[in-house]
Amino acid sequence: MTKLNELGLAAARDALLAREANAYELTEACLLAIESASKLNAFVHLTPETALDRATTADQQLASGDAPALCGLPIGIKDLFCTKDVPTQAGSRILEGFTPPYESTVSQKLLDAGAIMLGKLNMDEFAMGSSNETSFFGEVVNPWRRKNDGCRLTPGGSSGGSAAAVAADLCLAATGTDTGGSIRQPASFCGITGIKPTYGRCSRWGIVAFASSLDQAGPMTKTVRDAAIMLTAMCGHDAKDSTSVDIPVPNFEAALSGDIRRKTIGIPKEYLLDQLPNEIATLWTAGRDMLATAGAKIVDISLPHTEFALPTYYVIAPAEASSNLARYDGVRFGRRAQLAPGDSIVDMYEKTRAEGFGAEVKRRLMVGTYVLSAGFYDAHYNRARKVRSLIKKDFEDVFSQGIDAILTPSTPSAAFELGDSAKTDPVQMYLNDIFTVTVNLAGLPAISVPTGTNSEGLPLGLQLIGQPWQEDELLNLAFVLEQSAGFQDKPKCWW
Ligand code: GLN
């Protein structure tokens, strides 16, 4: 029999409404699963008492027939979301002990919809990374293992705690954030679904900022239907975020008709890299055939500026990060370094930032400060902004030619080993984001759907990229891909 924590959002919701389970036992089942999965290091802070209190309230609401959409459904929240009176440390030592007196808009919306927060999820420091190894709280371990070895694999990053927790059934779903792929890449590595909505769909208010023009929150779930349910609750206009857009939020679940006839899917030739493993290229072709069989028209397209996306991202994201992270100075948030007698305020800033930030964050701050500095601003930052416009225009051009969505692999590999020496060169690590950063630069919605496994039994995802504000269409396409692929595998429990 399926254990309660193994349910997804839709299945648990239906079980609660049918009185086949109650929110209290559902929450307890997740807390128990979390307790026995400490080896994964997915959670950095737990809130069991509040969760069980809320479960009691949820059961009362369910009994009175007055249950909101996510009533009684236990989820995890990435530690980048500020949660009122609950530590929010963004994977960084510099935010040690920071307990916000406010709740982020997105997590508040989830609470308002009746969801139960189990705790905060581990992540790369300030969401910078692709392997969850930059967290001050230690790496997260992927619940999946290769068939023939016991190597510890990365869950991906930066939302690695979220992906591992959902894949290992520690929670029904989780929030993630995606600046350059941090929802889609870990979703792909852990065999779950992750959607990054259109820039401006979800409020960024109360989410610790990394690169403000790229950051978006989104759901990480066990199924596409769950992603639709959770996204409906997360998005909506928020006056507290000036980039949040005031347009209606459809009921995304209602869009899952399974009918994709008359849809046209583009296959961009620039994504077929020389180094792309055969298994991923084959899966991509299989995905294309699945959509064609379901009635969609498949067209080869070109996105000519794709090759410039990574360098552009790795100028713009660090530039914005260097400005956003200037606020961590030992005065206002979190940790302050021990000072020696006679130390000045400048010594205090320097010591605090030197010991508070990890190596990857420091690297980004230095790159960011450099590309924004007076003599180099035009050569690097302004040039990157121009190339960003060209990348965005590539997408606008294909969409204006009748393409509804674009199909690509989510990642250039399956999950790799933690501590992989080939990835100690930061540029090698950055190459992980090759298929995902274009979407953030263009502000588009995109979803990763688990579609198959490689010969070693590890999950692989395909990415669908949609038109702005067409998350309903995108989710419906993803739903068809999910149904056709029939991916049902789960990691074997070793933890
Ligand atoms: N891996 C990318 C980076 O390190 C993306 C991170 C993200 O999306 N938060 O910047």
Side-chain angles (χ1 to χ4, degrees):
M1 210 191 84
T2 311
K3 291 197 207 126
L4 287 176
N5 54 297
E6 292 170 5
L7 297 174
L9 295 175
R13 172 194 63 186
D14 297 348
L16 292 181
L17 290 174
R19 301 278 189 285
E20 291 159 9
N22 63 53
Y24 199 91
E25 46 191 37
L26 186 58
T27 307
E28 266 185 335
C30 290
L31 291 169
L32 218 65
I34 295 172
E35 217 180 274
S36 59
S38 56
K39 280 189 195 134
L40 300 179
N41 198 26
F43 279 87
V44 285
H45 185 83
L46 290 172
T47 51
E49 291 88 15
T50 328
L52 290 169
D53 279 354
R54 282 185 57 89
T56 308
T57 311
D59 281 327
Q60 288 159 359
Q61 286 178 304
L62 284 155
S64 67
D66 174 30
L70 300 179
C71 191
L73 303 180
I75 60 168
I77 301 285
K78 183 177 183 179
D79 206 22
L80 204 62
F81 292 79
C82 285
T83 42
K84 189 171 188 304
D85 301 332
V86 176
T88 299
Q89 302 172 110
S92 185
R93 189 183 195 197
I94 211 162
L95 276 175
E96 203 169 54
F98 173 58
T99 304
Y102 43 80
E103 186 78 30
S104 83
T105 298
V106 164
S107 51
Q108 185 63 54
K109 277 175 167 291
L110 289 166
L111 294 176
D112 292 346
I116 294 172
M117 178 175 87
L118 297 162
K120 303 296 290 289
L121 290 157
N122 203 348
M123 50 175 284
D124 277 306
E125 185 176 8
F126 285 106
M128 299 177 194
S130 307
S131 64
N132 226 295
E133 290 166 293
T134 73
S135 170
F136 177 66
F137 302 99
E139 62 203 14
V140 176
V141 185
N142 193 326
W144 290 83
R145 293 201 151 166
R146 292 193 282 246
K147 262 187 215 152
N148 300 321
D149 66 39
C151 284
R152 298 159 78 251
L153 303 176
T154 173
S158 65
S159 313
S162 305
V166 174
D169 293 319
L170 311 186
C171 50
L172 274 48
T175 60
T177 63
D178 192 313
T179 302
S182 280
I183 288 177
R184 292 159 286 154
Q185 185 250 20
S188 178
F189 279 12
C190 291
I192 64 163
T193 298
I195 178 168
K196 179 203 97 77
T198 312
Y199 184 78
R201 212 18 139 175
C202 284
S203 169
R204 289 181 297 107
W205 193 82
I207 301 176
V208 174
F210 165 10
S212 307
S213 77
L214 302 161
D215 300 343
Q216 264 297 289
M220 302 180 70
T221 56
K222 298 181 189 178
T223 65
V224 172
R225 179 174 299 280
D226 287 2
I229 294 171
M230 191 163 163
L231 185 62
T232 307
M234 288 169 74
C235 44
H237 177 242
D238 178 12
K240 289 188 282 198
D241 171 3
S242 62
T243 62
S244 153
V245 174
D246 192 1
I247 58 164
V249 179
N251 176 345
F252 293 118
E253 191 183 8
L256 307 180
S257 66
D259 182 0
I260 60 162
R261 286 169 300 173
R262 291 178 298 282
K263 295 290 164 205
T264 305
I265 310 297
I267 309 287
K269 65 169 193 251
E270 290 78 7
Y271 284 59
L272 187 60
L273 307 173
D274 290 342
Q275 332 72 290
L276 192 67
N278 267 336
E279 291 179 315
I280 294 184
T282 309
L283 184 77
W284 190 13
T285 311
R288 163 192 182 133
D289 293 345
M290 290 175 208
L291 295 174
T293 307
K297 186 173 152 201
I298 311 291
V299 178
D300 288 321
I301 58 165
S302 171
L303 299 165
H305 296 90
T306 302
E307 65 172 302
F308 306 114
L310 264 188
T312 304
Y313 173 84
Y314 278 99
V315 169
I316 289 179
E320 294 186 18
S322 72
S323 159
N324 274 326
L325 271 58
R327 74 191 72 180
Y328 305 110
D329 53 8
V331 178
R332 288 164 290 185
F333 307 92
R335 185 187 172 87
R336 176 182 299 176
Q338 278 285 328
L339 300 181
D343 272 353
S344 67
I345 189 162
V346 174
D347 295 325
M348 194 274 283
Y349 293 153
E350 286 181 358
K351 288 186 177 177
T352 299
R353 287 170 68 86
E355 70 173 38
F357 291 133
E360 182 59 26
V361 172
K362 283 181 188 154
R363 181 176 302 121
R364 308 260 183 134
L365 297 184
M366 285 164 68
V367 170
T369 310
Y370 173 78
V371 299
L372 290 177
S373 59
F376 301 99
Y377 187 93
D378 277 329
H380 299 300
Y381 182 65
N382 259 343
R383 178 170 301 180
R385 290 202 316 163
K386 288 179 192 155
V387 180
R388 180 180 188 173
S389 310
L390 295 173
I391 291 167
K392 187 159 184 274
K393 189 170 171 303
D394 282 354
F395 285 104
E396 288 164 358
D397 287 348
V398 296
F399 289 143
S400 72
Q401 287 155 22
I403 298 293
D404 295 299
I406 296 164
L407 182 74
T408 77
S410 300
T411 56
S413 76
F416 49 88
E417 279 168 49
L418 284 163
D420 184 345
S421 55
K423 303 272 190 311
T424 40
D425 171 1
V427 175
Q428 288 305 315
M429 191 62 93
Y430 299 165
L431 286 172
N432 258 288
D433 308 327
I434 196 145
F435 298 140
T436 47
V437 293
T438 49
V439 165
N440 301 73
L441 290 168
L444 300 171
I447 186 166
S448 176
V449 183
T451 316
T453 48
N454 69 4
S455 56
E456 293 162 317
L458 296 180
L460 296 171
L462 288 179
Q463 168 175 248
L464 280 158
I465 306 170
Q467 297 197 19
W469 314 111
Q470 305 287 311
E471 287 89 351
D472 44 359
E473 304 274 346
L474 183 65
L475 283 157
N476 189 36
L477 284 162
F479 181 61
V480 170
L481 190 61
E482 175 188 56
Q483 304 297 310
S484 320
F487 178 86
Q488 299 281 350
D489 299 13
K490 298 284 282 180
K492 287 207 188 58
C493 185
W494 53 264
W495 54 89

